[in-house]
Amino acid sequence: MFNDPMREMEAFLTTDEVLSYLKITPRTIYRLIRSGELPAVRIGRQWRFRRADLDRWVERQRAFSASPV
């Protein structure tokens, strides 16, 4: 898509791309957006996600689930 790796990291993903990337259901994505847990931007009627934001979110989830209760 882009020739510049830094620009590619900032590229916005669609909801369908995030579904595939995170391997979760649409219901889960919208629940996470509504709760403010998943970083997303609404453009018109569609949601967009930055891959770098999603990667940070996944790392936080891994750190949270790995910490003892």
Side-chain angles (χ1 to χ4, degrees):
M1 185 175 190
F2 298 108
N3 292 332
D4 181 5
M6 291 307 289
R7 236 180 127 199
E8 189 170 339
M9 290 296 289
E10 292 300 314
F12 283 93
L13 302 175
T14 65
T15 303
D16 287 338
E17 291 169 328
V18 174
L19 289 171
S20 177
Y21 184 60
L22 296 179
K23 309 283 193 272
I24 58 178
T25 66
R27 185 175 181 171
T28 301
I29 283 184
Y30 293 121
R31 180 179 51 82
L32 292 169
I33 292 169
R34 227 180 355 265
S35 70
E37 291 181 55
L38 192 64
V41 174
R42 189 164 187 145
I43 301 174
R45 296 182 64 194
Q46 300 176 353
W47 289 99
R48 293 290 187 258
F49 310 81
R50 283 192 304 194
R51 185 181 301 268
D53 290 343
L54 294 173
D55 290 339
R56 279 191 295 277
W57 180 81
V58 167
E59 287 304 315
R60 280 195 314 269
Q61 299 309 305
R62 285 180 52 194
F64 179 73
S65 64
S67 64
V69 175

